[in-house]
Amino acid sequence: MNEEAQTPEIAQSPTTHVTPASDMSNPLYGVHGWLKFLVVMNLYVGPILFGLRQIMSWIGYMILLDKHPGIILSGLIDTAVGLYLVVRGIQVARGLRDIQPRAVQNAKALLKLILAWTFVSIPVSFLSGLNAKDLIPGTVKGVLVGVIGFAIWYSYFNVSKRVQATYPDWKE
């Protein structure tokens, strides 16, 4: 018997197709461009700005406390929710940076939470006791910025070729 006959045949599987989402040779693969901008903003810039904003806000709350005692409750709620969103943003940014499973879904969920807070924060701001006439311009601006920001980033995660090339489960 020749050696070829004694060698067991290895079953040939059909050619496996590497999906673009896991193809590291794809030039769009990786955390670059706008995706990197989002990660850097949530990991580094966002927490610093949040801290500075809270310091300035609480200085203002203390100044207004005598005339508007409800401002403390409003401030506590705003600070607690804001802190949660910042911490969650850091977690999401780490997942995106490290190309972890479900990172895109977590980012979309965070965007939905932020959008929800944009609307829920409206009545919370009125708990402060400040004049509604003074609160309305800031509230309208906050809603517009929140809705536009949500639309841009949510769309980005749905249509970005970089997101599709980097995260295998981007669509789930």
Side-chain angles (χ1 to χ4, degrees):
M1 263 181 133
N2 68 28
E3 290 183 30
E4 289 178 25
Q6 293 177 349
T7 316
E9 281 193 38
I10 299 172
Q12 294 291 326
S13 63
T15 306
T16 56
H17 175 68
V18 177
T19 61
S22 62
D23 183 5
M24 290 185 201
S25 66
N26 186 331
L28 292 175
Y29 179 87
V31 182
H32 306 288
W34 287 110
L35 186 57
K36 187 171 190 170
F37 173 78
L38 180 76
V39 168
V40 168
M41 290 301 292
N42 279 300
L43 263 180
Y44 307 109
V45 178
I48 292 169
L49 292 178
F50 174 77
L52 293 172
R53 178 181 169 263
Q54 291 307 308
I55 291 168
M56 297 303 294
S57 294
W58 281 97
I59 290 170
Y61 297 158
M62 293 302 121
I63 292 170
L64 296 172
L65 180 61
D66 291 340
K67 293 181 182 175
H68 306 284
I71 204 160
I72 296 299
L73 177 59
S74 175
L76 286 172
I77 294 169
D78 183 59
T79 300
V81 173
L83 182 61
Y84 171 78
L85 293 174
V86 166
V87 169
R88 190 73 187 110
I90 292 169
Q91 293 169 338
V92 165
R94 284 182 178 162
L96 289 168
R97 178 195 66 194
D98 299 340
I99 309 175
Q100 294 178 348
R102 301 206 42 81
V104 174
Q105 292 81 359
N106 291 335
K108 287 180 180 180
L110 177 63
L111 289 170
K112 290 175 186 175
L113 278 174
I114 293 169
L115 181 65
W117 176 241
T118 297
F119 291 102
V120 173
S121 68
I122 295 170
V124 171
S125 65
F126 287 98
L127 289 174
S128 66
L130 295 171
N131 188 346
K133 182 176 73 173
D134 296 334
L135 291 174
I136 289 176
T139 302
V140 170
K141 177 185 172 192
V143 168
L144 286 174
V145 168
V147 168
I148 291 169
F150 173 82
I152 290 169
W153 285 110
Y154 201 84
S155 297
Y156 173 79
F157 281 112
N158 284 320
V159 301
S160 168
K161 299 295 183 200
R162 180 171 306 284
V163 169
Q164 293 173 28
T166 304
Y167 302 95
D169 61 352
W170 71 276
K171 202 172 192 179
E172 293 176 11

